[in-house]
Amino acid sequence: MKRVYLTLLTLIVVVLTSFAGTMDVIEKEQTEANIVGHVIEKKTGEHLPGVAITIDGTTLGTVTDATGHYRFTHLPVGSWTMKVRVLGYQTITKKFKAIRGKTQEINFELEEDMTALDAVVVSSNRNETTRRMAPTLVSVIDSKKFTQVNAANLAQGVSFQPGVRVENNCQTCGFNQVRINGMDGRYTQILIDSRPVMNALAGVYGLEHIPANMIERVELVRGGGSALYGSSAIAGVLNIITKEPLYNSFSVTESLSFTGMEEPDNNVSFNGSFVSDDQKAGAMVFGNMRYRKPWDSNDDGFSEIGKIDARSLGTRFYLRTSPYSRLVGEIHGIHEFRRGGDHINEGWPAHVSAAAAQLEHSIYSANLKFDWHSKDVKHHFQAYASGQIVNRESFYGGSDLLDENGNPTLKPNGDGVLEADKTLYGDNYGHTKGRTYNGGFQYSYNFDKFIFMPAEILAGAEYTHDELSDVMPIRSWTENSEGFHLYPAMEQKIDIWSHFAQLEWKNEKLGMLLGYRLDKNSVLDDLVFSPRVTLRYNPTKDVNLRATYSSGFRAPQVFDEDLHIGVCRGVAQKIVNSENLKKETSHSFNLSADLYHRFGDVQANLLVEGFYTHLTDAFATREKAEQPYEGFTIFERVNAGGAKVMGANIEARLAYKNMQFQLGYTLSSNKYDDPVEWGVTTELTSGTEALPDGSNFKKDVKGNFVNTSHKMKEMPRTPKHYGYFMFDWNAFKHFNISLTGKFTGKMKVPHTIEWGTGTAVSDIEALAAGKRTTGVRDAAGNMARCDELKDASAFFEFGTKLSYEFHLSEVTRLQAFVGMNNIFDSFQDDFDRGKYRHGNYIYGPTQPRTIYAGCTYSF
C-alpha cells in the first residue's frame, strides 16, 4: 500500500508540474478595479447581512456586512462571474467586467427558497458542489435549526432529520449515540470539516462535546460511505462544518434551562468574527461554558441525568495566498467534567460513592487545509492535515461503604472511633489517552468532455494514525496470588494507508459516478477495497432521482465503551479480539426521489428514500470460558452472523410567506440473520416458579447457576417507526414562534435483572410481596438472573419556543427567547434504582420536561 501511495504522490507531482507553467503570477499591483453594492430581500426590501459573494474561478470572496453592503477592491482585470449565495434564498449569478481604475456598483435582490437546492455541500464527493448536482443525497442541518430547538450542542440538534435518532445509552454516565437508519452509533462516521479525527474515545461523548455555536452546518449522508471516508462509515456520515469568519461582528448568548423543571442547566456562548479590510484574512473565535446540575427522576438518590461542567474555546481562520489559493485552519479545545451516581452535590469523592461514573476530558483538535485552483477552474489541488489529542481521567464503579439505604457503614477502631474500612473503597480509577493524526492530498480535473459528456476525475491518498491507551492504575499495581496484574493496560495502535479515486460524469440532467477506496489497515491482513457507484437523473430542474450502491467496512478495535458501562456496577471488564477475526462488511443500496414544486406563494418539497444494507461478519462479544485474572471479566470479540437493515425515509416541507413546516418519518426493519442473545434466565430444578429463597435454582457440578439464553432476530432498542416535525412562523415583524416534535415508536429493550437486588421495579415489587429474598448467590458469587424484554411504549416530545428581536440600532440586535421542551413530559418511568442498577437500561427521550429562557446580544 505504501508503494501505491508513493506512486500516486509522484503522479500528482508530475501532473502539477506539467501545468505549473500556466499558473498565473499573483497579481500584486493595485488595479483599482473595485466593485461595491448591497443585497436586499426582494419581498421586504430589508438589507441582508452575512450573504456570501464569490467570484467563480478564484478564491476571492466576501460577505455583506451588518448593513447588507459589500465591496471588492483591486480585482484582477478581466471578465468574471459573481455568485451570491446564502442558505434560505435562491442563488443569483451576474457577469461583469473588472476595469482598471474604475469602481462599479452591482446590487442584488434575493428571493426566499426553503429548498436550499443550490446550497453548497462537500460530503457527497469531497469537493464543493450544490445539493442539486450532488451524486448522493445530502441533508443539511443549519445553525438556524439548532437555534430553533435551543440546542446547546450537537446531540440536541442533530435528530431533526429523517432516519436519525439520538439516544442515551447509560443511566449513570449519560453518553449519547446517534443512530442512522436504525444502526448502532458505532456504524456512523463523525467528521470535523471532512476529517476523521473523532476516534473511538472521542466519539463516545463527542455528541455533547461539540458546542452548537461552533457549527455552521451539519451535512448528513445516509448509507455506506467508506468509499470516501474509510472505516465506520457503514450507516452514514455526519460531517460537522465549523463556522467561518464572515464580517466584523460579535454575539453572546445566555440560556438557562431547568431539567425536569427543577435542576439548572446554564449555557453561555460567544462568537466573534474579524476580517481584514482587503478580505484576504479573517478569523472567527468561539467559546462556550456549560454547567448542568444532576437530576434524579425517581428520588432514589442516584442521578438519571448527570452533572456537567464544560468549557470550550476555538478559532477558524483563513488566509488568501493568491486570487486562486487559500489556507484554512481550525483549532479548538474542550474540557468537560461529568459525574453521575449518588452524593454528587455533597461533593463525595467518586471512590466512596455507592455508584459513580466520573469523567474528565481534555480534548484538543486542529486541522489545516490548503486549496489551489487554476484560473480556468479545471484543476483543483488540496492538501490537508489534522489531529486530535484526548486525555481522560475516569472512575467507573463504586464502594461498599454504604448500606442499602445509602448511609455510610462504619465500625469502631482500636480507640473506639467509628471509621470506614478502606478495603471497601472503589478502585476503578482509569486513565485513557487517545491520539489521532490524519493527513493527505487530493487532486481533481474537470473535462469539458470525457468520452461522451463533461466529467470530473478526482484522486487522492491519505494516512491516518490512531493510538489509544487505557489503564486502571490501582488495579494494574496489584497482583493476585499467582502474580497476575489485576488489570494490565490496554494498548491499541492502528495505521491506515488509503488511496481513493472517482470519475463523475455530470451535467444539469444526468450524473454518473464510479469510485473506490483502497485501505491498508494495520489490524487487518488484506487490503480493503470499497467500491461506490451512483446515478443521478434530473428530468426537470425540480425532480431529482438518485440510485446509489456503496460498500463499507468496520475494522476491529479493542476499546469499547460498553465495557465501561459494566464497570459502573463495580465489575471491571476487558475485551480481546479472537484469532482470525474478520472485518465487518456492508453492502448498501439507496434509491431516492427528491421532488420540488411551487404553487403560487407556496413552496413544496417531498423526499422519498428507500434504503437496504446487508451486513456480514458482524462483531459480537462473548464472555471467555477461561478467566485468568481476578477482579475483572474478559470478553472476546468474535464474528457473528449477518444482519439486514431496510426501510424508507420520508420528508415533506412546505413554505408559505412567513411560515415553514417540515415533517420527517422513518419506517424500518432491522434484523439479524441468526438469533442473537438479549438476556438469560436461571433455570429451575422443579416447579413452575422460583422459590423466594432460590432453593430450586438449577446449579452445575461446581455449584454455579445454570442459565437459559434468550435470543431474537430483531435488533433491540430499534423502533420500527419514528419521526419529527418543525414549524416556524414569523407571526409579525421580529417576533417568531417555533413548534417542534419528535416521535419514537414502540421498541424492544433488554433489561438485565438480578434476583433480589432491588434494582428493577419488578424485583422491588416481588421483594415487597415476599416472592423473593436477597443474597441468593451461587458458588462463584453470581446472582440468579430473571432478565426481561421490555416492550417500551411510544414517546412523543413536543416543544415550543417564542422569540422577539429588538433592533437597538442599525447593526445592534437583542433577541430574547423563552421555551419548553418535552411539554407533556413523555419520559421513561421505570428506571432501575440503587447502587446495583444496570446503567444501560435507559431508553426513550434524552430529557424530561424542561423549561428555558435566554437572550442573544449581537452587533
Side-chain angles (χ1 to χ4, degrees):
M1 190 63 197
K2 292 181 180 180
R3 291 183 179 179
V4 173
Y5 185 88
L6 294 174
T7 301
L8 182 64
L9 175 59
T10 303
L11 177 62
I12 291 179
V13 171
V14 170
V15 172
L16 289 175
T17 304
S18 67
F19 62 78
T22 67
M23 292 174 59
D24 291 288
V25 177
I26 298 175
E27 193 163 354
K28 296 181 179 179
E29 62 175 319
Q30 303 293 302
T31 65
E32 294 296 340
N34 306 323
I35 301 293
V36 298
H38 66 236
V39 179
I40 62 173
E41 187 179 48
K42 184 176 182 179
K43 182 170 58 178
T44 65
E46 291 188 353
H47 287 82
L48 294 174
V51 178
I53 306 172
T54 58
I55 298 178
D56 284 354
T58 75
T59 61
L60 298 175
T62 186
V63 295
T64 55
D65 60 19
T67 66
H69 292 78
Y70 77 94
R71 64 188 175 96
F72 285 102
T73 60
H74 304 296
L75 291 173
V77 174
S79 298
W80 303 98
T81 299
M82 189 182 302
K83 184 175 292 184
V84 180
R85 179 190 293 134
V86 65
L87 199 62
Y89 292 87
Q90 294 179 3
T91 298
I92 296 178
T93 60
K94 283 187 180 181
K95 295 183 181 294
F96 73 97
K97 188 173 183 179
I99 302 173
R100 185 184 300 274
K102 185 176 180 180
T103 296
Q104 304 175 67
E105 182 175 354
I106 302 177
N107 298 318
F108 296 89
E109 290 185 348
L110 297 188
E111 188 174 359
E112 279 192 294
D113 179 19
M114 52 85 60
T115 63
L117 267 178
D118 292 321
V120 172
V121 294
V122 296
S123 302
S124 183
N125 59 3
R126 297 183 72 107
N127 261 337
E128 288 188 352
T129 186
T130 62
R131 288 185 61 242
R132 185 193 305 276
M133 297 287 288
T136 57
L137 187 66
V138 180
S139 298
V140 177
I141 310 167
D142 60 24
S143 56
K144 181 180 178 181
K145 284 187 172 64
F146 282 86
T147 301
Q148 189 174 343
V149 298
N150 198 45
N153 52 62
L154 178 65
Q156 294 175 344
V158 77
S159 58
F160 290 92
Q161 285 292 320
V164 178
R165 191 169 67 86
V166 175
E167 65 178 21
N168 191 338
N169 285 105
C170 182
Q171 186 182 358
T172 306
C173 66
F175 89 82
N176 301 123
Q177 66 166 298
V178 58
R179 287 176 176 260
I180 297 179
N181 290 346
M183 300 188 73
D184 192 89
R186 298 173 182 82
Y187 297 98
T188 298
Q189 180 74 65
I190 299 176
L191 310 173
I192 297 180
D193 290 324
S194 303
R195 308 296 168 232
V197 292
M198 295 283 285
N199 61 19
L201 177 60
V204 172
Y205 301 94
L207 295 180
E208 284 193 297
H209 283 165
I210 303 298
N213 69 315
M214 163 184 174
I215 302 171
E216 173 65 30
R217 67 183 187 275
V218 178
E219 296 181 4
L220 168 66
V221 180
R222 292 178 287 267
S226 286
L228 278 181
Y229 298 109
S231 180
S232 300
I234 289 176
V237 172
L238 279 179
N239 192 2
I240 303 163
I241 308 299
T242 57
K243 287 186 176 180
E244 281 202 45
L246 299 176
Y247 53 90
N248 293 331
S249 63
F250 180 81
S251 68
V252 59
T253 299
E254 159 69 25
S255 176
L256 178 62
S257 305
F258 289 90
T259 307
M261 308 295 287
E262 296 174 335
E263 302 297 346
D265 182 354
N266 191 50
N267 280 272
V268 180
S269 61
F270 71 86
N271 292 78
S273 291
F274 311 93
V275 180
S276 64
D277 291 339
D278 59 8
Q279 301 290 321
K280 289 184 177 180
M284 192 281 295
V285 179
F286 69 87
N288 179 265
M289 294 170 286
R290 182 187 187 191
Y291 181 80
R292 182 181 72 188
K293 293 193 69 173
W295 178 73
D296 181 2
S297 170
N298 51 17
D299 297 322
D300 66 341
F302 295 80
S303 66
E304 271 64 56
I305 294 179
K307 174 182 177 179
I308 288 180
D309 190 358
R311 307 286 186 272
S312 62
L313 181 66
T315 180
R316 176 165 175 164
F317 58 89
Y318 71 83
L319 174 65
R320 290 193 175 93
T321 54
S322 82
Y324 314 106
S325 59
R326 191 170 81 142
L327 187 69
V328 180
E330 188 271 336
I331 304 171
H332 70 266
I334 297 170
H335 182 268
E336 184 202 71
F337 175 86
R338 177 185 295 250
R339 170 77 179 271
D342 63 294
H343 294 92
I344 302 173
N345 293 329
E346 292 86 348
W348 284 25
H351 65 277
V352 300
S353 300
Q358 179 173 295
L359 303 104
E360 191 165 3
H361 288 90
S362 294
I363 303 172
Y364 306 95
S365 294
N367 67 73
L368 191 65
K369 179 182 72 171
F370 176 75
D371 272 295
W372 174 86
H373 297 264
S374 62
K375 186 176 181 180
D376 59 8
V377 203
K378 291 183 178 294
H379 303 275
H380 178 205
F381 176 77
Q382 183 182 107
Y384 52 87
S386 59
Q388 184 179 74
I389 296 174
V390 183
N391 293 318
R392 184 173 82 176
E393 304 294 336
S394 62
F395 180 89
Y396 292 90
S399 73
D400 290 324
L401 291 171
L402 305 182
D403 61 23
E404 59 183 9
N405 297 317
N407 299 314
T409 301
L410 305 174
K411 63 182 181 180
N413 61 12
D415 298 325
V417 178
L418 293 178
E419 289 185 349
D421 184 356
K422 294 184 179 180
T423 63
L424 300 179
Y425 288 176
D427 57 4
N428 290 330
Y429 280 102
H431 177 65
T432 312
K433 295 188 298 182
R435 305 288 186 267
T436 303
Y437 309 106
N438 171 263
F441 54 85
Q442 65 183 50
Y443 165 74
S444 61
Y445 180 78
N446 284 292
F447 295 90
D448 293 330
K449 185 177 182 181
F450 183 75
I451 303 179
F452 55 89
M453 65 186 295
E456 179 185 73
I457 187 170
L458 180 146
E462 63 184 17
Y463 166 73
T464 302
H465 175 78
D466 184 28
E467 61 180 75
L468 187 142
S469 172
D470 185 46
V471 63
M472 288 183 169
I474 298 176
R475 287 181 174 269
S476 67
W477 297 335
T478 309
E479 295 181 351
N480 64 8
S481 58
E482 298 178 359
F484 286 108
H485 289 285
L486 290 184
Y487 197 96
M490 178 188 296
E491 301 286 347
Q492 171 183 285
K493 290 186 179 181
I494 299 175
D495 293 291
I496 307 172
W497 297 83
S498 307
H499 159 61
F500 52 87
Q502 62 186 31
L503 176 61
E504 181 184 3
W505 288 276
K506 57 183 177 180
N507 59 28
E508 289 291 333
K509 287 198 171 184
L510 185 65
M512 295 179 291
L513 183 146
L514 302 174
Y516 70 90
R517 182 181 174 107
L518 198 62
D519 289 279
K520 180 61 183 78
N521 191 303
S522 60
V523 301
L524 301 173
D525 294 330
D526 301 323
L527 293 172
V528 181
F529 177 73
S530 303
R532 178 178 183 233
V533 181
T534 73
L535 176 65
R536 171 184 56 83
Y537 178 50
N538 297 43
T540 69
K541 183 179 179 181
D542 294 329
V543 176
N544 298 264
L545 307 176
R546 291 181 176 89
T548 302
Y549 162 75
S550 56
S551 175
F553 76 100
R554 193 160 75 99
Q557 299 184 112
V558 296
F559 179 83
D560 194 323
E561 190 62 26
D562 282 350
L563 303 183
H564 281 181
I565 296 177
V567 180
C568 290
R569 301 183 59 250
V571 182
Q573 303 175 0
K574 184 178 180 180
I575 192 168
V576 296
N577 291 331
S578 66
E579 293 184 9
N580 303 317
L581 184 67
K582 300 177 182 178
K583 67 182 182 300
E584 286 186 273
T585 303
S586 72
H587 300 278
S588 297
F589 300 85
N590 289 69
L591 292 172
S592 66
D594 199 10
L595 312 175
Y596 300 84
H597 193 69
R598 188 158 192 155
F599 306 90
D601 290 335
V602 178
Q603 299 178 61
N605 168 222
L606 176 64
L607 166 67
V608 180
E609 176 190 31
F611 58 88
Y612 173 84
T613 297
H614 184 206
L615 187 66
T616 60
D617 296 320
F619 293 147
T621 57
R622 64 186 182 191
E623 187 174 336
K624 292 201 69 171
E626 297 182 2
Q627 298 290 337
Y629 304 112
E630 295 177 0
F632 69 93
T633 304
I634 294 180
F635 286 81
E636 182 180 33
R637 179 179 279 114
V638 298
N639 290 118
K644 294 182 179 65
V645 176
M646 64 187 77
N649 292 311
I650 302 172
E651 184 180 49
R653 292 188 288 180
L654 291 172
Y656 174 71
K657 294 185 177 179
N658 297 327
M659 293 184 289
Q660 292 189 11
F661 178 76
Q662 184 173 333
L663 173 71
Y665 176 77
T666 298
L667 180 66
S668 68
S669 171
N670 304 66
K671 293 183 178 181
Y672 295 105
D673 294 342
D674 301 310
V676 173
E677 182 179 281
W678 60 261
V680 300
T681 296
T682 301
E683 297 181 14
L684 304 176
T685 57
S686 62
T688 58
E689 291 185 0
L691 298 176
D693 60 359
S695 58
N696 62 336
F697 286 141
K698 186 181 292 187
K699 298 180 181 179
D700 60 19
V701 294
K702 295 182 179 180
N704 297 327
F705 290 134
V706 177
N707 295 324
T708 298
S709 175
H710 301 300
K711 297 181 179 182
M712 66 177 180
K713 284 190 174 183
E714 187 175 345
M715 291 184 183
R717 305 177 63 90
T718 304
K720 293 182 179 179
H721 57 122
Y722 51 97
Y724 73 94
F725 81 85
M726 303 182 77
F727 175 75
D728 193 67
W729 179 30
N730 289 318
F732 52 85
K733 194 172 184 179
H734 308 318
F735 179 68
N736 182 266
I737 300 174
S738 293
L739 303 176
T740 59
K742 286 190 288 187
F743 170 76
T744 305
K746 295 181 179 180
M747 58 182 166
K748 296 185 179 297
V749 182
H751 189 189
T752 300
I753 301 177
E754 293 176 325
W755 184 272
T757 57
T759 58
V761 172
S762 60
D763 192 54
I764 295 171
E765 293 173 349
L767 285 167
K771 296 180 179 181
R772 296 179 189 174
T773 58
T774 61
V776 181
R777 298 179 181 269
D778 62 12
N782 298 314
M783 304 290 290
R785 294 276 290 278
C786 48
D787 296 352
E788 296 176 342
L789 189 63
K790 170 76 174 184
D791 286 316
S793 302
F795 295 92
F796 178 69
E797 304 167 74
F798 178 70
T800 185
K801 179 181 179 180
L802 308 177
S803 64
Y804 187 83
E805 187 172 81
F806 300 90
H807 288 215
L808 306 180
S809 71
E810 186 178 17
V811 297
T812 306
R813 307 285 188 267
L814 176 65
Q815 183 189 77
F817 57 85
V818 63
M820 182 181 291
N821 291 327
N822 202 352
I823 292 175
F824 303 123
D825 203 23
S826 183
F827 200 66
Q828 181 179 348
D829 60 2
D830 64 339
F831 287 108
D832 277 5
R833 305 174 67 90
K835 66 174 294 184
Y836 294 113
R837 66 185 186 177
H838 284 261
N840 57 358
Y841 183 60
I842 183 170
Y843 57 89
T846 57
Q847 66 175 177
R849 182 188 292 122
T850 300
I851 192 171
Y852 62 86
C855 63
T856 299
Y857 175 71
S858 61
F859 59 87

